Amino acid sequence: MINDELQNRKYVIGGLIALIILIFIARLLFLQVFTERYKESAEGNAFLKRTIFPPRGLIYDRFGKLLVYNRPSYDVMVTMKEVTSLDTMDFCNTLGITKEDFIDRMSEIKDKKINHNYSPFTPQVFVNQLLADDYARLMEKLYRFPGFSIQQRTIRDYAYKAAAHALGSIGEVSRTTIEKDDYYKMGDYIGITGLEKSYENELRGEKGVQIMLRDSRGRIKGRYANGAYDEEPIAGKTLRLGLDIELQMLGERLMNGKRGSIVAIDPSTGEILAAVSSPTYDPTLMVGRQRSAMFKELNANPNKPLLDRTVMARYPPGSTFKVANALVLQQNNIINGGTRYPCHRGYTVGHFHLACHAHASPLDLYGAIANSCNAYFCAGLRAMLDNDKYKNITEAFNIWRSDIMTFGFGKKLGVDLPHENGGNVPTTKAYDRVHGKGRWRSLNVVSISIGQGEVVATAVQIANLCATVANRGYWITPHMVKYIENQPIPEKYKEKHTTAIEKRYYDVCVRGMEMAILGGTAKGGQIPGIEVCGKTGTAQDPPRKDHSVFMGFAPKVHPKIAIMCIVENSGFGATYAVPISSLMIEFYLRRKISPQRQELLDRMASTILIHNYGTQNKISTDN
């Protein structure tokens, strides 16, 4: 009996010992394999992993002029595990920050809700983009501040004080982006506007890593394994744009002191030659630690200099839209080149009256385009909507709308600039909601025939219409980038989009636009020796003054440039938009402005229509 008890006790004790051994092994396994904290501690004591940031890709214009490049910048890094015996006040005074700033920043770095990649053993960004004076002052005393180091990287700089909206800027990455993309860590930079944002993946490159060996006291002893495990950074890809920086600067000069936009396109490729949004700002001021303060100042400006009016602002296209209507009406056999409609200072039906300026009457289609007759296009649209060949007005309107949409109106074109607006082409459902289903008539909607009412478009959409007419029936999605290093541009920037209109109908509109330049509403756009075709627009913006609008292309045969200009609240299309566009066309085709037209250039550039509400050297288009 005693032997049995001893035997059982032996098994119990053996089992307890085995259990303890298993627990001990499991704990070791957990600590060494599944718990990163101890691994980090061991590696942190032995190694220092330094991130090597790649140089961001360079950006050039269509002629190879460097636009955006990199310059050295310095970040102050902190490794929390190494911060000992720090003279906080001396450190703060050296950096020019308060003690409160220091405490807040240290807390933010340690907060894993904010900084998901925090580790006390790895360097974290304490202050980024040090100014040269601050960097020099800190380097003299850096040995006094254990745990702090300097990390060299690059920030953007600009060769020209132009094209700020198109080129864009970079800024510190947001928490949301860090959560979505593990490429980014707290303190990294990312493209946030313009092409910097659209082509972030191409421009950013790939980070490298340098592994440094520490001794038992944490001192750097050199590169681990002579750099055998280091990873070299890969530079971002170079971009070459379709943008002509000299044409861009001329456009910004001409739009100085005005609100509005210029968009110029090469019709044969869809490449954007100029993308002017006014008022603009000096892109060099949106770099470094001053960026936040500068952004606040620009954002508070009532003229909205941060708004990219080329793709974001919505305008009534005004009489430029008559060209699209002329094409749709011809395609649907409502009118032809010889069709005439009367105009008696406007379009009048009963008590309804839509005004027009004085000109000869009646006019054929050529003359209606050349003289921008409102009555002609109102009569043409009514003739389509009230036509017996359609079941009802809904069917007629839907056919009209479908044809208009093939020009790229009412939807985003897909331009490679962020935040593009799609504009609007109204639907029958929208009219049903406003007037009641089946209760609206052609007179309720006739203003859309002249680019007013519910029709709104972006500057790039109007320029795209002009490029489509220049091409006699097709367009290529407008785009900024012409070439990406070692990578083709997206296929959508090569594809031709054919409209619903037969080519023969474009010839009628081209002739009408040529007549507008030779003796019609756009005669101020004549350039000796160059065949220009164009169409003015005076877009209503009640209760304010009308917008001055123009679209045109040149030469008439084998066009090289299609352009639109809108000068907000400045009057007739011929007043500002026509001369500004003609100067842009002349410069692009000849690379100079003739002496005879220099006075016109100076007058347009010196005319101030708005107050910039800001320091002139900050919100300026002087180049």
Side-chain angles (χ1 to χ4, degrees), residues 513-514 517 525-527 530-534 550 552-554 556 585:
M513 292 172 70
E514 182 182 35
I517 295 289
Q526 294 179 20
I527 307 171
I530 299 176
E531 288 185 305
V532 181
C533 300
F550 174 80
F553 63 88
K556 176 184 176 182
I585 291 172

Side-chain angles (χ1 to χ4, degrees), residues 37-91:
R37 183 163 58 94
Y38 292 95
K39 181 182 177 183
E40 286 180 356
S41 179
E43 288 188 352
N45 288 330
F47 304 112
L48 172 64
K49 292 184 179 180
R50 289 178 175 169
T51 299
I52 309 300
F53 291 93
R56 202 165 170 86
L58 305 179
I59 303 178
Y60 295 85
D61 90 333
R62 71 186 294 108
F63 299 116
K65 292 184 173 67
L66 180 63
L67 305 180
V68 186
Y69 58 97
N70 304 300
R71 62 179 172 86
S73 173
Y74 305 94
D75 295 345
V76 179
M77 309 297 291
V78 58
T79 305
M80 294 296 184
K81 193 70 174 176
E82 299 174 2
V83 179
T84 57
S85 305
L86 179 69
D87 187 337
T88 306
M89 288 309 300
D90 187 18
F91 179 79

Side-chain angles (χ1 to χ4, degrees), residues 112-137:
K112 285 202 170 186
K113 292 180 181 178
I114 299 174
N115 184 12
H116 299 293
N117 298 295
Y118 170 72
S119 168
F121 304 100
T122 58
Q124 309 284 322
V125 177
F126 181 80
V127 172
N128 60 16
Q129 299 183 0
L130 275 188
L131 298 175
D133 290 345
D134 294 333
Y135 167 72
R137 186 167 57 251

Side-chain angles (χ1 to χ4, degrees), residues 318-339 341 364-370 373 376-378 380-381 384 400 403-404 407 409 448-451 465 469 500-502 504-513 535 551:
S319 294
T320 60
F321 197 66
K322 291 173 181 174
V323 177
N325 261 311
L327 291 164
V328 172
L329 294 176
Q330 288 182 90
Q331 180 65 35
N332 288 280
N333 298 315
I334 305 301
I335 63 172
N336 56 49
T339 301
Y341 288 118
D364 59 15
L365 180 54
Y366 302 98
I369 293 173
C373 176
Y376 189 98
F377 293 96
C378 288
L381 182 63
M384 179 171 180
W400 174 89
D403 288 349
I404 284 291
F407 292 97
F409 289 109
I448 63 175
S449 68
I450 59 171
L465 168 64
V469 178
I501 314 302
E502 295 176 43
R504 59 192 172 115
Y505 297 128
Y506 284 90
D507 294 332
V508 176
C509 291
V510 168
R511 176 56 183 157
M513 292 172 70
K535 180 71 193 76
M551 72 175 192

Side-chain angles (χ1 to χ4, degrees), residues 372-388:
S372 197
C373 176
N374 287 343
Y376 189 98
F377 293 96
C378 288
L381 182 63
R382 283 198 74 205
M384 179 171 180
L385 297 184
D386 295 344
N387 201 300
D388 290 339

Side-chain angles (χ1 to χ4, degrees), residues 216-231:
S216 59
R217 295 186 179 182
R219 295 173 297 193
I220 301 298
K221 303 301 291 182
R223 297 171 71 179
Y224 173 65
N226 292 321
Y229 297 97
D230 291 353
E231 296 178 12

